[in-house]
Amino acid sequence: MDKLMNRSWVMKIIALLLAFMLYLSVNLDDGASSSNKILNRSSSANTGVETLTDVPVQVSYNEKNRIVRGVPDTVIMTLEGPKNILAQTKLQKDYQAYIDLDNLSLGQHRVKVQYRNISDNLNVVVKPDIVNVTIEERDSKQFSVEASYDKNKVKNGYEAGEATVSPRAVTVTGASSQLDQVAYVKAIIDLDNASKTVTKQATVVALDKNLNKLNVTVQPETVNVTIPVKNISKKVPIDVIQEGTPGDGVNITKLEPKTDAVKIIGPSDSLEKIDKIDNIPVDVTGITKSKDIKVNVPVPDGIDSVSPKQITVHVEVDKQGDEKDAEETDASAAETRSFKNLPVSLTGQSSKYTYELLSPASVDADVKGPKSDLDKLTKSGISLSANVGNLSAGEHTVPIIINSPDSVTSTLSTKQAKVRVTAKKQSGTNDEQTDKETSGSTSDKETKPDTGTGSGTKPDTGTGSGTNPGTGNSGDSADKPSEETDTPEDNTDTPTDSTETGDDSSNQSDENSTPVDGQTDNTSGN
């Protein structure tokens, strides 16, 4: 055998056989690979992949006595396999993802998410496929419900009181560890700019100490909450003080607010501490004559607002020395002139009514002032008006307002006009009712400028007749019998207007008294 192997031709034959075997081996592997490739191409043409998202996870456990935490609500399932089976599975939608915890004990567990109703011909991948769950005993406890609301959300000028909750207690059910974390059980209410008592149903939530909502159930889920809301304002008197220095030779004799009290709005504890707003400064720097000054009302500490925010203060002055003598000299040099038959116009008329001036048809006026000013004054420079704004249907007595230059004072023969107001035909009566409610305040405002229209230093009864020492013209008495007759009627009607407004009693008193000429006529004229 050794001799045979030593021969060269034998070795060549063996080498040839080995080469041939190697060749066959390589070709057979390539053929098999090509065959597998052909099969795979054929297989991939009939298979597909479907991804199912948000597949609900069903959990099997003793729900009566146990609580399970850590189970995801949904999972993602990816299916791969024949397209016809994929289509059928997706169309039927009876596939499920589930976790079986029935045989597990209390505590923490790693469990597999399983699936069912899916063909064995499909490959299924679930994400997540393993979850950590905690199984605990179910427990229930009762907790008191506290109403939660922001007291600052009420309307300005109002305050929210203590809330009433019904039922007062609720039952909270969950895992023992969750119940141990309950720090607050609240019913949340939004007051939403409330100005009256609020009664609402509110959902109850259980919160931990960090105000995080806990995964527990509450029974009942809602409660009734009532929150009283009340006004927190009151009226307090005011007082003013002088600030600044008046003009040379001028003394301030009176500071008189035309508003007695103001309304303050704020928290109850702050309101209780304030009984008066005093020392409101009135700046009289450089003042030389009596006048009205508007003053801002300060807001006390702890108070939200004051109403009105601004008041009017009448400042009375007394001049001394040469200035006073000069004024008396000018007053003695003044002259008086009469203007006859001045017409009276009606102002402030509403389209809802028609208006008729019953009396007087015209009014006479005695005008007193410097001769130079009177020489320039004509009848057209004096106008008389009666404001009928906001009057309701019926007959009314309204003051006559004179408009004349500031340098003169005027005395009217008749101070009031009688007006008939008739409602036009229209649907509804709300507007008329509103006019009745507001007519009193308008009458009050219009009557005030008419108090006292005398001139000089002579008394005036407001009739302008020869028997009136205020006018000093006896020759007019025969011309005005009708106006003397109207005056009692006006005085009779005045109490009726006073009843509507509650303030006109001062005007009636002024007409029956004997005012000093020149003290208030400038107010009426202006």
Side-chain angles (χ1 to χ4, degrees), residues 145 186-189 201-206 213 218 220-223 225:
V145 182
K186 292 183 176 290
I188 301 174
I189 294 290
Q201 273 197 340
T203 301
V204 182
V205 294
K213 185 178 178 180
V218 180
E221 296 179 351
T222 61
V223 293
V225 181

Side-chain angles (χ1 to χ4, degrees), residues 2 36 73 104-105 159 166 186 209-210 217 257 275 291 305 334 345 348 419-420 433 454 508 524:
D2 291 337
N36 289 336
D73 294 330
L104 297 182
S105 60
E159 183 178 54
S166 178
K186 292 183 176 290
K209 63 181 180 180
N210 296 320
T217 60
D275 297 322
K291 61 186 297 187
S305 62
S345 63
V419 179
R420 178 182 294 127
Q433 180 66 26
Q508 184 183 9
S524 177

Side-chain angles (χ1 to χ4, degrees), residues 474-516:
S474 61
D476 292 342
S477 61
D479 297 335
K480 304 175 182 176
S482 61
E483 294 172 358
E484 293 180 1
T485 304
D486 288 342
T487 302
E489 296 178 1
D490 294 341
N491 290 334
T492 303
D493 290 339
T494 302
T496 303
D497 290 344
S498 175
T499 302
E500 295 177 1
T501 64
D503 293 324
D504 279 353
S505 59
S506 61
N507 282 340
Q508 184 183 9
S509 175
D510 288 344
E511 289 190 37
N512 293 334
S513 64
T514 308
V516 179

Side-chain angles (χ1 to χ4, degrees), residues 9-20:
W9 61 270
V10 174
M11 294 301 297
K12 290 179 179 178
I13 292 174
I14 293 173
L16 181 61
L17 291 174
L18 290 173
F20 180 74

Side-chain angles (χ1 to χ4, degrees), residues 330 336 338 411 505 514:
D330 291 340
T336 300
S338 297
T411 303
S505 59
T514 308

Side-chain angles (χ1 to χ4, degrees), residues 19-33:
F20 180 74
M21 292 175 61
L22 181 62
Y23 171 79
L24 290 178
S25 175
V26 171
N27 286 337
L28 287 174
D29 288 341
D30 289 344
S33 177

Side-chain angles (χ1 to χ4, degrees), residues 124-144:
V124 182
V125 177
V126 180
K127 291 184 179 180
D129 60 338
I130 301 293
V131 295
N132 296 317
V133 299
T134 302
I135 304 175
E136 299 180 78
E137 287 286 355
R138 177 184 291 272
D139 196 4
S140 296
K141 289 183 180 180
Q142 279 200 333
F143 292 88
S144 296

Side-chain angles (χ1 to χ4, degrees), residues 304-317:
D304 295 330
S305 62
V306 173
S307 179
K309 298 180 179 179
Q310 194 177 70
I311 61 172
T312 300
V313 179
H314 178 70
V315 182
E316 195 74 31
V317 304

